[in-house]
Each structure stands twice: as structure tokens, then as C-alpha cells.
Amino acid sequence: MGKIIAIANQKGGVGKTTTSINLAASLAKAGVSTLLVDLDPQANASNGVGVQKEQINETIYDVLMNEADINAAIVPTAINLLKVLPSSINLAGAEVELVEKDEQIRHFVLKNVLSAVKDKFTFIIIDCPPSLSLLTLNALVSADSLLIPVQAEYYALEGLGQLLNTLSSVRSSLNSKLEVEGVVMTMFDSRLRLANQVVDEVKNYFGEKVYSTIIPRNIRLTEAPSYSLPILLYDPNSTGAKRYIELAKEVVMNNKPLFTKKKS
């Protein structure tokens, strides 16, 4: 069985989708079979790995709400071991449709869908919408762990309390096994004294859960999505690419038992 990691932070602009795209791409480039699940109606993760509309017959909306075959909806990317379950603006309507479902069903729709493919990938990375919506709750119920991107700026911890309260609530009533995978500092500017102070504050708060790898502010990282490419394909020699490769190595190292199980 693979491991499902939800990447979430309801505060926008923290590098959530950038991390989802480039962590998934880096894992795949390292030889690890990876599925990127785009759970955001904006579909930025789908576009960011080069999925074009003409490639898509069905999206995650069709899988969740119309019981379409998940295997038919998953599409390949330019990176051999990276596949994507793409999104579309239609997913915005899923929020209303999920509310109308029975309370015992609506939180488990994504979990049930992903169970059909969980053993086909080592990692399933879910890019969550930037809100604590029913879609995000579905991701947390489905996930084995939560990876939190935190921006190295003044309001870094703003809203994290709410996210951690939601995590606690999900653990107590919907998914008792949900853990914090890790916390990654993003958009770090080493020239700013404040950025270093924020990193220290987050480390004091989360301890060893904070990754050693810090993602810097990097112009190539911000350019890559406009070319519909992960940073590894857009500029593999950039600082941003190197840091996401380092982050992927940390994620793999922290999940050694997963690879031991696959070999046995």
C-alpha cells in the first residue's frame, strides 16, 4: 500500500501548490511512483505539470460525484513515474453536492475513490484547496499524513491554529491515524532578519517536524508554472529545483519502512 500525503494550509500564497507539484515531480524523478491528486478547482497543479485540456476526458469531479473510473481519469506527465488525477472548475460545485450527501458518507468520498489505486503508487500527493472546506476535510480523512507549507514571513503562523484544530478534530472523529508528515518553510529570503526569526519560531512550535530543507524565494520557481512545467523540467539547475530534490529525499528518508514493505 502506498502513502497518502495531503498538502494543506488554508492561508493562501504560502507555496502549497508549488510544493505539491515539485515534491511530486522530485519523488517521481528519484524513481518513486507518485500520483498527484489535484483537489483544487483552480486546477493549478494539473496545469503546473503540463496536463492539457485535450488530454483530459474526465476529472476528479467526475470521479467523486459521477462515479467515473479513477483509472480512466488519471493521466501521465512528461516525468515517467508521475501521474496526475486532474481537476477542473467543475470541482467548485462538488462542495455543494457533498453537503447534500449523508453525513456518514460525505467525508469519505475521496478516501473510497483513492482506495482503488493506493497500492499502485508509493506516494499519493493531494494538493488541497486554500480553505478548510469539505474538499480539504475529504483529503484529511483520506490521508495518512499532513504536510504543511509555511511561508517565512511575518504572518507565518496566522491560521495555523485553525488548521491544527481541524487536524485534532479529524483525528478524534474521522481519521485517528492522521499524523503531521512535516512542515516545510517556503519563500525564504536569507537577506531578511525577520525570515530567520520566523523559521526559529516555527521550529520552536513544531520541533523535529520541520524539514531541514528550506525553499527559497526563487524567480525560476515562480516562472515555471507559466510554462506548465515543474521546476525540474523548467530549470533543473536552479536553486529551487535543488531544494525540492532535497525535500523529496527527506520525505523518502522519513518513510523508510514504506520502501522496506514494498521490497518484502
Side-chain angles (χ1 to χ4, degrees):
M1 296 289 281
K3 184 170 189 179
I4 301 177
I5 301 175
I7 299 183
N9 188 331
Q10 80 274 17
K11 187 177 184 297
V14 299
K16 175 186 60 64
T17 297
T18 298
T19 296
S20 299
I21 291 169
N22 292 301
L23 174 59
S26 297
L27 288 168
K29 202 70 174 175
V32 180
S33 60
T34 305
L35 173 66
L36 176 60
V37 176
D38 190 349
L39 200 61
D40 189 339
Q42 297 177 86
N44 290 332
S46 304
N47 296 331
V49 292
V51 174
Q52 305 299 322
K53 287 183 179 180
E54 54 269 21
Q55 284 180 267
I56 302 173
N57 294 318
E58 293 168 316
T59 70
I60 190 169
Y61 172 82
D62 300 296
V63 175
L64 292 176
M65 309 313 304
N66 299 331
E67 299 184 1
D69 180 6
I70 186 172
N71 291 287
I74 290 172
V75 295
T77 71
I79 297 175
N80 186 34
L81 290 175
L82 177 62
K83 293 187 178 179
V84 182
L85 179 54
S87 183
S88 73
I89 192 62
N90 292 340
L91 189 60
E95 197 73 30
V96 175
E97 294 179 54
L98 285 170
V99 169
E100 294 173 351
K101 288 184 177 291
D102 186 272
E103 190 172 351
Q104 300 301 316
I105 296 174
R106 63 185 178 217
H107 294 116
F108 296 89
V109 177
L110 181 63
K111 180 181 177 70
N112 293 335
V113 160
L114 292 180
S115 66
V117 295
K118 192 174 182 182
D119 61 346
K120 296 182 179 181
F121 301 93
T122 303
F123 287 108
I124 296 177
I125 305 294
I126 305 176
D127 181 38
C128 297
S131 62
L132 294 178
S133 62
L134 260 177
L135 288 172
T136 300
L137 283 174
N138 262 263
L140 296 180
V141 170
S142 305
D144 299 298
S145 62
L146 169 65
L147 193 155
I148 308 170
V150 178
Q151 189 176 6
E153 292 193 353
Y154 182 71
Y155 293 109
L157 299 180
E158 181 184 283
L160 273 182
Q162 187 181 357
L163 177 62
L164 294 176
N165 286 339
T166 301
L167 173 63
S168 177
S169 176
V170 169
R171 278 176 175 164
S172 64
S173 60
L174 296 168
N175 182 5
S176 61
K177 296 180 179 180
L178 182 63
E179 300 291 340
V180 174
E181 180 74 24
V183 178
V184 59
M185 301 302 305
T186 62
M187 302 181 182
F188 180 78
D189 189 338
S190 60
R191 299 168 299 177
L192 301 178
R193 182 177 169 186
L194 175 65
N196 291 287
Q197 291 174 341
V198 169
V199 171
D200 290 340
E201 187 176 356
V202 172
K203 285 182 177 178
N204 287 335
Y205 194 82
F206 287 100
E208 294 181 355
K209 288 294 184 181
V210 181
Y211 292 108
S212 299
T213 302
I214 295 177
I215 309 300
R217 282 199 175 277
N218 181 254
I219 188 65
R220 307 302 272 172
L221 271 176
T222 59
E223 290 174 349
S226 64
Y227 291 88
S228 298
L229 292 171
I231 190 63
L232 280 178
L233 297 183
Y234 179 64
D235 188 348
N237 295 316
S238 66
T239 301
K242 292 173 182 176
R243 293 294 174 84
Y244 273 111
I245 290 170
E246 291 170 8
L247 179 62
K249 288 178 181 177
E250 284 198 68
V251 171
V252 169
M253 287 297 292
N254 290 347
N255 286 281
K256 275 187 174 180
L258 189 65
F259 293 89
T260 304
K261 288 178 186 176
K262 287 184 76 66
K263 290 177 182 177
S264 61

